[in-house]
Amino acid sequence: MQDLKKSYQNTTYKLGNHSSRNIAILKEAFKNVDANLESDIYGTGAIIEDFQTKIATALGKEAAVFFPSGTMAQQIALRIWADRKQNPKIGYHPLSHLEIHEQDGLRELQHIEPILLCDADKLITLADIQAIDASISCVLLELPQREIGGQLPSFEELEEISQYCRENGIQIHLDGARLWEITPYYQKSTKEISALFDSVYVSFYKGLGGIAGAILAGDEDFVKEAKVWKRRYGGDLISLYPYILSADYYYDKRIGKMGQYYEAAKELAGQFNACSGVSTLPEVPVSNMFHVYFDESAEVIEPILAKIHAESGVGCSGYLQVKPDGRCAFELSLGDAITEVPAEKLAKVFEQLGNMK
């Protein structure tokens, strides 16, 4: 797999994301910043407070707090809801980031008991929540559900889940790491989506392309508690301004492009699906994200992709995930980079994919 990674890194153009994650990201964000601007200090100051207010307003919430990482923000959100209900049981998807990417942090640090709500390859439904054979304090929904291709429930289903949780005393938290990217599909604003949830986490480095950072938003009391937990977790660095200023810069630069990325994803997925032995999940994307599946093993596909990279100069992916059924796949999240790929070079990619041997 190292050969595939190297071939990908050596390409001039990339299908996914915005640009290479290098120092240029920070330099661009800072190029017009006043050198005399005062930094934030331990969670206070105009830089951090103004940005928190800006994003709270965008999400339609009373308040917000900036975190260096989403992992920290979400563990804290769930701890707050568990404490308020005096119930450590939290419901979420089997492939939630908290379940598969955080080394059991929720269990080990917060002693919270996750309840897995559905089959791993399915979306959580209202019926799944209604069928829980235990009292839970909170349900976490990830929109879109990344590990199954970025799938989404209907907005009507979301409304029904939200109503059910609120009628039954269950808090509802949004893992909105990619919230910005789903607004074109739902044809709803971030406020309208966030209104269905008691607390919301959003990221600034995924679809927006900042260097790092997250916001946790909710009502005033919730955010006040979250700030205490942030201090306990060591999240109040003496200054967070490199993260905040880059988050603010790329938010303004890209928040209006989500529809463009969504349309590009649908078009690109259609081109993959037109190739024999290649398919996407979902078949028609519901955000800027989808997964590309090959009917062959990674051992077969890796040299084919490496050859495509070398001959077209366009990077598809630097890795392949091996699936239980023997197939392989990779994830694509579209951003500014796709607009830089010359049409003739993109056509070369799909010509070669369509004639895989």
Side-chain angles (χ1 to χ4, degrees):
M1 205 70 76
Q2 285 299 317
D3 289 343
L4 179 59
K5 182 178 181 182
K6 184 177 180 180
S7 73
Y8 176 79
Q9 291 172 334
N10 287 339
T11 56
T12 304
Y13 306 98
K14 307 290 191 293
L15 293 183
N17 302 311
H18 298 295
S19 62
S20 298
R21 291 194 63 80
N22 54 31
I23 300 301
I25 295 173
L26 190 58
K27 290 179 71 174
E28 180 182 338
F30 271 68
K31 65 183 178 183
N32 293 319
V33 174
D34 182 353
N36 295 312
L37 184 66
E38 291 187 12
S39 74
D40 58 303
I41 299 178
Y42 293 121
T44 63
I47 284 180
I48 190 168
E49 291 168 7
D50 290 351
F51 186 63
Q52 288 170 167
T53 299
K54 176 178 178 175
I55 301 303
T57 300
L59 297 174
K61 297 301 183 186
E62 290 180 2
V65 53
F66 189 88
F67 281 86
S69 80
T71 296
M72 185 186 298
Q74 294 212 103
Q75 289 185 17
I76 285 170
L78 298 184
R79 174 60 186 267
I80 290 170
W81 295 133
D83 282 354
R84 289 193 183 183
K85 298 292 184 179
Q86 297 185 319
N87 180 352
K89 294 183 172 62
I90 300 285
Y92 57 52
H93 194 277
L95 299 181
S96 167
H97 192 281
L98 292 105
E99 186 67 16
I100 66 173
H101 291 305
E102 298 181 15
Q103 301 294 314
D104 279 337
L106 201 59
R107 295 174 177 86
E108 296 296 329
L109 298 178
Q110 301 296 354
H111 306 294
I112 285 174
E113 302 173 31
I115 305 294
L116 306 184
L117 296 179
C118 63
D119 294 337
D121 61 345
K122 306 293 184 184
L123 287 168
I124 294 171
T125 66
L126 175 59
D128 292 321
I129 298 170
Q130 291 172 327
I132 298 171
D133 188 26
S135 171
I136 59 173
S137 57
C138 180
V139 165
L140 177 149
L141 295 183
E142 180 185 352
L143 303 177
Q145 193 70 52
R146 177 192 180 187
E147 299 292 340
I148 54 172
Q151 296 183 58
L152 286 170
S154 69
F155 196 74
E156 291 71 26
E157 177 101 12
L158 283 182
E159 290 178 311
E160 291 172 0
I161 290 173
S162 178
Q163 181 178 351
Y164 175 83
C165 288
R166 286 170 172 171
E167 288 176 350
N168 288 273
I170 302 170
Q171 306 297 144
I172 182 165
H173 171 76
L174 173 58
D175 178 342
R178 296 167 177 82
L179 171 61
W180 324 111
E181 296 95 312
I182 65 175
T183 54
Y185 174 74
Y186 280 141
Q187 289 294 290
K188 303 289 183 182
S189 67
T190 52
K191 285 184 180 180
E192 290 173 300
I193 300 169
S194 298
L196 303 178
F197 297 86
D198 299 303
S199 55
V200 178
Y201 144 67
V202 291
S203 171
F204 295 97
Y205 76 86
K206 295 181 173 70
L208 295 173
I211 59 170
I215 279 276
L216 186 60
D219 64 30
E220 293 281 1
D221 288 343
F222 172 84
V223 170
K224 184 177 180 179
E225 277 193 74
K227 288 181 177 180
V228 173
W229 275 106
K230 180 185 173 186
R231 177 60 60 89
R232 290 168 175 164
Y233 259 66
D236 268 335
L237 309 187
I238 185 170
S239 294
L240 287 164
Y241 68 87
Y243 306 104
I244 297 164
L245 289 174
S246 76
D248 196 18
Y249 175 82
Y250 288 108
Y251 174 85
D252 287 345
K253 179 177 180 177
R254 293 183 173 131
I255 194 63
K257 295 183 178 182
M258 296 302 152
Q260 174 185 330
Y261 304 151
Y262 172 49
E263 294 301 324
K266 290 190 289 184
E267 180 177 348
L268 196 66
Q271 291 176 281
F272 276 111
N273 284 306
C275 298
S276 178
V278 185
S279 59
T280 67
L281 181 69
E283 181 177 358
V284 179
V286 291
S287 71
N288 68 325
M289 169 192 286
F290 57 92
H291 291 183
V292 179
Y293 278 74
F294 298 93
D295 290 344
E296 300 286 351
S297 68
E299 288 75 16
V300 171
I301 298 300
E302 181 183 347
I304 293 174
L305 283 184
K307 182 180 179 182
I308 290 172
H309 292 165
E311 295 183 358
S312 70
V314 178
C316 298
S317 177
Y319 74 96
L320 288 168
Q321 289 183 335
V322 177
K323 298 300 179 179
D325 60 4
R327 295 188 298 164
C328 61
F330 66 84
E331 177 183 293
L332 268 180
S333 294
L334 298 196
D336 288 347
I338 191 64
T339 66
E340 302 296 324
V341 182
E344 66 275 12
K345 291 189 175 295
L346 190 59
K348 178 72 172 178
V349 169
F350 287 103
E351 177 187 346
Q352 292 181 275
L353 279 178
N355 294 286
M356 287 192 298
K357 292 181 181 179

